[in-house]
Amino acid sequence: MKIIVFHGSTRDNGNTELLTYQAVPKEKGTHIYLRDYNVLPIIDQRHDESGFDVVEDHHKDLINQMLSHDVIVFSTPIYWYSMSAPMKIFIDRWSQILRDPGYVHFREELSKKKAYLIAVGGDTPKIKGLPLVQQFNYICQFYKMTFADYVIGKASKPGEITKDTAALKAASTLIK
Amino acid sequence: MKIIVFHGSTRDNGNTELLTYQAVPKEKGTHIYLRDYNVLPIIDQRHDESGFDVVEDHHKDLINQMLSHDVIVFSTPIYWYSMSAPMKIFIDRWSQILRDPGYVHFREELSKKKAYLIAVGGDTPKIKGLPLVQQFNYICQFYKMTFADYVIGKASKPGEITKDTAALKAASTLIK
Amino acid sequence: MKIIVFHGSTRDNGNTELLTYQAVPKEKGTHIYLRDYNVLPIIDQRHDESGFDVVEDHHKDLINQMLSHDVIVFSTPIYWYSMSAPMKIFIDRWSQILRDPGYVHFREELSKKKAYLIAVGGDTPKIKGLPLVQQFNYICQFYKMTFADYVIGKASKPGEITKDTAALKAASTLIK
Amino acid sequence: MKIIVFHGSTRDNGNTELLTYQAVPKEKGTHIYLRDYNVLPIIDQRHDESGFDVVEDHHKDLINQMLSHDVIVFSTPIYWYSMSAPMKIFIDRWSQILRDPGYVHFREELSKKKAYLIAVGGDTPKIKGLPLVQQFNYICQFYKMTFADYVIGKASKPGEITKDTAALKAASTLIK
């Protein structure tokens, strides 16, 4: 079982990352820090006659890496009650992949994968983070991916996640 | 009552825009097409000693425009069950504004405003768009902005929104 | 297209009923006022060896009526952010019907039907009523019923629904 | 800290009860099994001139018990994606208590309490149980009660909850 983690944080060693390492230690699995890659926001050309323009960035590299793993962990701080912009940019571009002749099996490939969500927020995240969970569930449903489980942690200041012992414990047994 | 509309679409005259013009015709209100501006994703430096680095882009111009209106309409296509990346990038950066000495009254100013949401999606949006609505509600709650109302339209192909007569009608009387 | 409406209000001519008559006038469709029937809360005997005890009440009559129509409208006031107890009692007992040898086709029959929800609440129902909408969606999903649409009205005092012109208008074109 | 648990199950020793005993062992706290009490569904007479009729049942006894504790645990099986009918009936009647001259401090009293939710369902409850969580959150908000935390367990057949070790562990440290 090969695990890949997509980190949506924009700072190093933030609370979301710390919680995520409880689930997938650094040395286990492939850790992708989206902030280290150049991924451009989608331009919606689904309905253009000539389709999507080629985009020169790291998106396909990341998609290729994703497809070569069995388990995908989405790790995102909760910014304004939803996923971080880098995570959103990464996922929005899947619409382009879906129409890319090089990825005709994208949907089918994803349907074989298991997904997990790890999210950390400062403002009552176990309630106000639930719409985010529901959105990931819909994403997984679209691809018939198994949305295996999720953990929501509460933290705001650096290191504060260490106080959310329930989340830390839950994360440590998250991946099955 | 001065109305400003933030358009989160990445293409011209898309379904979301057409629906939005039912609520706020082009000649009424200020229409901001986020795709025409350079706004960079936030780098979370809330906890850096020196705070946020200055960012050279259009974000503050847009914030200034927003603050000079009474009613804010957020108009976004539903991409993967949440707001478009340009809209998310625009809103994420509010965290930086909140800590900017030039905007000490940001929160208070927003508390006097009325917000509306217009969203259009292709995949059962009146159900799968509800988490997005809840997120906007939480954003408004944070700023004590009035979340006055919302309309969700269903459309995928160009122009298809014209078939969602219920949404068109609802949009035409949305702003009160 | 035969329409049946289940009214979950506990008072006559309440706001929910008034809104519902916009969608299905009294003389169109079959109107069932759950308060006029004796339906007992379920006793969960799904896992009893002998199964469910026979219950002497009106539940099967109501189920039979439901099954003889094509379109089902659930009309409920929002009590504490969810459906009224009479509506909940009525639906909870479906678990018993599912195991009743007299109703082996219950699930299949429901899968051919279209469902609508009409709900009215006093406390920001277009936001706080959304979990209720999501629950009806899950119920429909379970039975593969089409959850065609819903309307949420805002009203508290008797007659107040007449002020929610948007809801009244939406209700009047709800059933397609 | 005095704890009271309201059990909404309709069968003895069901999965929801077993999970709840992890959070509040039988000998700790007051355990109320709603199925053992006679509580009648509300008749909405909020707007009747003479107000609510007196109802002869156990509801006030239960309310009195609730008010004499500091922590309230709502424990309910998830029936059709929301709380069980006995739990709903119990809570719906709070609308009557709110207008009872004998309970003028009801709202204020509740505002000092901490609430927890324990819910168990068979159909992907960690997703499809989220609207239920949101509804309890709104109920708590209305009374300004602290909605301290919740646990969702997955189980259908008798005893099956013992396999949801994550939920059992979370329940065992739920009450703080």
Side-chain angles (χ1 to χ4, degrees):
Chain A
M1 193 182 69
K2 291 175 66 190
I3 303 176
I4 190 165
V5 183
F6 290 98
H7 293 272
S9 298
T10 60
R11 62 182 167 96
D12 240 3
N13 282 310
N15 287 302
T16 316
E17 267 180 51
L18 296 179
L19 182 58
T20 302
Y21 296 143
Q22 293 291 315
V24 187
K26 267 186 176 171
E27 66 283 4
K28 290 198 183 166
T30 308
H31 288 264
I32 303 286
Y33 303 88
L34 290 170
R35 63 180 172 272
D36 296 342
Y37 295 84
N38 181 33
V39 181
L40 297 173
I42 198 166
I43 310 284
D44 182 5
Q45 300 178 307
R46 285 176 298 163
H47 310 291
D48 283 20
E49 255 180 63
S50 50
F52 282 95
D53 292 341
V54 173
V55 179
E56 299 288 351
D57 64 1
H58 296 121
H59 193 254
K60 283 193 184 175
D61 295 350
L62 297 178
I63 292 295
N64 294 342
Q65 292 222 49
M66 181 166 77
L67 293 177
S68 69
H69 289 75
D70 311 299
V71 170
I72 310 168
V73 179
F74 298 96
S75 163
T76 181
I78 305 178
Y79 287 169
W80 298 108
Y81 314 106
S82 63
M83 69 182 86
S84 73
M87 186 66 85
K88 189 75 212 314
I89 291 169
F90 172 59
I91 291 177
D92 273 9
R93 286 281 300 287
W94 294 12
S95 300
Q96 184 163 354
I97 298 292
L98 277 171
R99 281 157 189 82
D100 188 315
Y103 292 87
V104 287
H105 300 302
F106 184 56
R107 210 163 161 164
E108 191 194 327
E109 284 304 310
L110 282 188
S111 74
K112 300 171 193 160
K113 311 221 177 278
K114 255 171 119 168
Y116 291 89
L117 171 66
I118 297 173
V120 175
D123 179 9
T124 49
K126 285 193 69 175
I127 293 297
K128 298 187 181 172
L130 298 185
L132 169 64
V133 172
Q134 293 170 319
Q135 289 166 337
F136 268 96
N137 180 53
Y138 289 138
I139 294 171
C140 290
Q141 250 179 30
F142 179 90
Y143 291 98
K144 302 196 202 304
M145 249 193 291
T146 305
F147 186 27
D149 208 349
Y150 60 88
V151 170
I152 302 173
K154 178 171 167 50
S156 184
K157 289 181 200 143
E160 209 175 11
I161 193 68
T162 55
K163 291 186 204 157
D164 188 346
T165 50
L168 293 170
K169 241 193 300 181
S172 71
T173 57
L174 181 69
I175 314 288
K176 274 136 228 163
Chain B
M1 193 181 69
K2 293 175 65 189
I3 302 176
I4 190 165
V5 183
F6 290 99
H7 293 272
S9 297
T10 60
R11 62 182 167 97
D12 241 3
N13 281 312
N15 288 302
T16 316
E17 268 180 51
L18 296 180
L19 182 58
T20 301
Y21 296 143
Q22 293 291 316
V24 187
K26 266 187 176 170
E27 65 282 4
K28 290 200 182 165
T30 307
H31 288 264
I32 303 286
Y33 303 89
L34 291 171
R35 63 179 173 273
D36 295 341
Y37 295 84
N38 180 33
V39 181
L40 297 172
I42 198 166
I43 310 283
D44 182 7
Q45 300 177 307
R46 284 175 299 162
H47 310 291
D48 282 22
E49 255 180 62
S50 50
F52 282 94
D53 292 341
V54 173
V55 178
E56 298 289 350
D57 65 2
H58 296 122
H59 193 253
K60 282 192 184 175
D61 295 352
L62 297 177
I63 293 295
N64 294 342
Q65 292 222 51
M66 180 166 78
L67 293 177
S68 69
H69 289 75
D70 310 301
V71 170
I72 310 168
V73 179
F74 298 96
S75 163
T76 181
I78 304 179
Y79 288 169
W80 298 108
Y81 315 105
S82 63
M83 68 183 87
S84 73
M87 186 66 86
K88 189 75 212 314
I89 290 169
F90 172 59
I91 290 178
D92 273 8
R93 286 281 300 287
W94 294 12
S95 300
Q96 185 164 352
I97 298 292
L98 278 170
R99 280 157 191 83
D100 189 315
Y103 291 87
V104 286
H105 299 302
F106 183 57
R107 209 164 161 163
E108 192 194 327
E109 284 304 309
L110 282 188
S111 75
K112 301 171 192 159
K113 313 224 176 275
K114 255 169 118 168
Y116 291 89
L117 171 66
I118 297 173
V120 175
D123 179 9
T124 50
K126 285 193 70 175
I127 293 298
K128 297 187 182 173
L130 298 184
L132 170 64
V133 172
Q134 292 170 318
Q135 288 165 338
F136 268 96
N137 181 52
Y138 289 138
I139 293 171
C140 290
Q141 250 179 30
F142 179 89
Y143 291 98
K144 302 195 201 307
M145 252 194 290
T146 305
F147 185 28
D149 209 348
Y150 60 89
V151 170
I152 301 172
K154 179 170 167 52
S156 184
K157 288 182 200 143
E160 209 177 11
I161 193 68
T162 54
K163 291 186 205 159
D164 189 346
T165 51
L168 293 170
K169 240 195 299 181
S172 71
T173 57
L174 180 69
I175 313 288
K176 275 138 227 161
Chain C
M1 192 183 69
K2 292 175 65 189
I3 303 176
I4 190 166
V5 184
F6 290 99
H7 293 272
S9 296
T10 60
R11 63 183 166 95
D12 241 2
N13 281 311
N15 287 302
T16 317
E17 268 180 50
L18 296 179
L19 182 58
T20 302
Y21 296 143
Q22 293 291 315
V24 187
K26 266 187 177 171
E27 65 283 4
K28 290 200 183 166
T30 308
H31 288 264
I32 303 286
Y33 303 88
L34 290 171
R35 62 178 174 273
D36 295 342
Y37 295 84
N38 180 32
V39 181
L40 297 173
I42 198 166
I43 310 283
D44 182 5
Q45 299 178 307
R46 284 176 299 163
H47 310 291
D48 282 20
E49 255 181 62
S50 50
F52 281 95
D53 293 340
V54 173
V55 179
E56 298 289 351
D57 65 1
H58 296 121
H59 193 253
K60 283 193 185 173
D61 295 352
L62 298 177
I63 293 296
N64 293 343
Q65 292 222 50
M66 181 166 78
L67 294 177
S68 69
H69 289 75
D70 311 300
V71 171
I72 309 169
V73 179
F74 298 95
S75 163
T76 181
I78 304 179
Y79 288 169
W80 298 110
Y81 314 106
S82 63
M83 69 182 86
S84 73
M87 186 65 87
K88 190 73 212 312
I89 291 170
F90 172 59
I91 291 177
D92 273 9
R93 286 281 300 286
W94 295 11
S95 300
Q96 186 164 352
I97 298 292
L98 277 170
R99 280 158 190 83
D100 189 315
Y103 292 87
V104 287
H105 299 303
F106 183 58
R107 210 163 161 163
E108 192 195 327
E109 285 303 310
L110 283 187
S111 75
K112 301 171 193 161
K113 314 227 174 271
K114 255 170 119 169
Y116 292 89
L117 171 67
I118 298 174
V120 174
D123 179 10
T124 49
K126 285 192 69 174
I127 293 297
K128 297 187 182 173
L130 298 184
L132 170 64
V133 172
Q134 292 170 318
Q135 288 165 339
F136 267 96
N137 180 53
Y138 289 138
I139 293 171
C140 291
Q141 250 178 30
F142 179 90
Y143 291 98
K144 301 196 201 306
M145 249 192 291
T146 305
F147 186 28
D149 209 348
Y150 60 89
V151 171
I152 301 173
K154 180 172 167 49
S156 185
K157 288 180 200 145
E160 210 176 12
I161 192 69
T162 54
K163 291 185 204 158
D164 189 347
T165 50
L168 293 170
K169 239 193 302 181
S172 70
T173 57
L174 181 69
I175 313 289
K176 274 138 228 158
Chain D
M1 193 181 70
K2 292 175 66 190
I3 304 176
I4 191 166
V5 183
F6 290 99
H7 293 272
S9 296
T10 60
R11 64 181 165 97
D12 241 2
N13 282 311
N15 287 302
T16 317
E17 268 180 50
L18 296 179
L19 181 58
T20 302
Y21 296 143
Q22 294 291 314
V24 187
K26 266 188 177 170
E27 65 284 3
K28 290 199 182 166
T30 308
H31 288 264
I32 303 286
Y33 303 89
L34 290 170
R35 63 179 172 272
D36 295 341
Y37 295 84
N38 181 33
V39 181
L40 297 173
I42 199 165
I43 311 284
D44 183 5
Q45 300 178 307
R46 284 176 300 162
H47 310 292
D48 282 21
E49 256 180 62
S50 50
F52 281 96
D53 293 340
V54 173
V55 179
E56 299 288 351
D57 66 0
H58 296 121
H59 193 253
K60 282 193 185 174
D61 295 351
L62 297 177
I63 293 294
N64 294 343
Q65 291 221 50
M66 180 167 78
L67 293 177
S68 69
H69 289 76
D70 310 301
V71 170
I72 309 169
V73 178
F74 298 96
S75 163
T76 182
I78 304 178
Y79 288 168
W80 298 110
Y81 315 105
S82 63
M83 68 182 88
S84 73
M87 186 66 87
K88 190 75 211 315
I89 290 169
F90 172 59
I91 291 177
D92 273 9
R93 285 281 300 287
W94 295 12
S95 300
Q96 185 164 352
I97 298 292
L98 276 171
R99 280 157 191 83
D100 189 315
Y103 291 88
V104 287
H105 299 303
F106 183 58
R107 208 162 161 164
E108 191 194 329
E109 284 304 310
L110 283 188
S111 76
K112 300 171 193 159
K113 313 225 176 275
K114 256 170 118 167
Y116 291 89
L117 172 65
I118 298 173
V120 174
D123 179 10
T124 49
K126 285 192 72 173
I127 293 299
K128 297 187 182 172
L130 298 184
L132 170 64
V133 171
Q134 292 170 319
Q135 288 166 337
F136 267 97
N137 181 52
Y138 289 138
I139 293 172
C140 290
Q141 250 179 31
F142 179 89
Y143 291 98
K144 302 196 202 303
M145 250 193 291
T146 306
F147 186 27
D149 209 348
Y150 61 87
V151 170
I152 300 173
K154 180 171 166 51
S156 185
K157 289 182 199 144
E160 210 175 14
I161 193 68
T162 54
K163 290 186 205 158
D164 189 346
T165 50
L168 293 170
K169 239 193 300 182
S172 70
T173 57
L174 180 70
I175 314 287
K176 274 137 225 159

